[in-house]
């Protein structure tokens, strides 16, 4: 069933010029999470793992000639973790 759907998508994309076929993908970063394992010399308490994350969305056309600005998706318009960062310089 999946193979049939993939072929249908490829056939549909083939009727358009490659410049007009877009690929969008996302990647996430759990920016507050600590590593699963660490080398410790002293005992410490376990704690609840933070689930705060940001999502970055990247888009490009099939030829690679046109790349859109990345989208940054988070919970707030002005996240605290970008408090002292000029977001315009990041290009997001």
């Amino acid at each position: 069933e999946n193979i049939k759907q993939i072929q249908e998508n490829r056939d549909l994309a083939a009727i358009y010029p490659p410049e007009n076929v877009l690929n969008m993908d996302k990647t996430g970063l759990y920016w507050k999470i600590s590593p699963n394992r660490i080398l410790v010399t002293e005992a410490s308490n376990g704690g609840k793992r933070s689930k705060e994350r940001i999502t970055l969305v990247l888009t490009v056309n099939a030829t690679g000639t046109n790349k859109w600005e990345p989208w940054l998706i988070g919970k707030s318009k002005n996240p605290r973790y970008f408090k002292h960062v000029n977001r315009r310089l990041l290009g997001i």
Side-chain angles (χ1 to χ4, degrees):
E1 187 66 28
N2 278 342
I3 295 173
K4 182 179 177 184
Q5 184 67 38
I6 291 171
Q7 189 58 46
E8 288 176 7
N9 289 340
R10 287 182 181 163
D11 293 341
L12 180 61
I15 64 175
Y16 297 99
E19 299 83 30
N20 294 340
V21 177
L22 303 177
N23 183 32
M24 179 185 277
D25 204 0
K26 66 179 180 176
T27 183
L29 173 66
Y30 290 93
W31 63 280
K32 272 190 168 181
I33 203 162
S34 58
N36 287 339
R37 298 179 187 153
I38 57 173
L39 181 62
V40 267
T41 57
E42 299 176 12
S44 65
N45 294 346
K48 191 172 182 180
R49 296 173 62 95
S50 173
K51 293 183 181 177
E52 292 190 45
R53 73 180 248 155
I54 56 174
T55 302
L56 193 63
V57 179
L58 307 166
T59 308
V60 65
N61 65 353
T63 59
T65 57
N66 197 352
K67 299 173 186 169
W68 277 256
E69 281 191 22
W71 294 355
L72 180 69
I73 302 171
K75 286 188 175 183
S76 68
K77 186 175 181 179
N78 295 312
R80 272 191 239 153
Y81 44 87
F82 282 138
K83 184 177 180 180
H84 301 292
V85 176
N86 186 349
R87 289 183 293 166
R88 290 190 178 128
L89 293 177
L90 293 176
I92 55 175

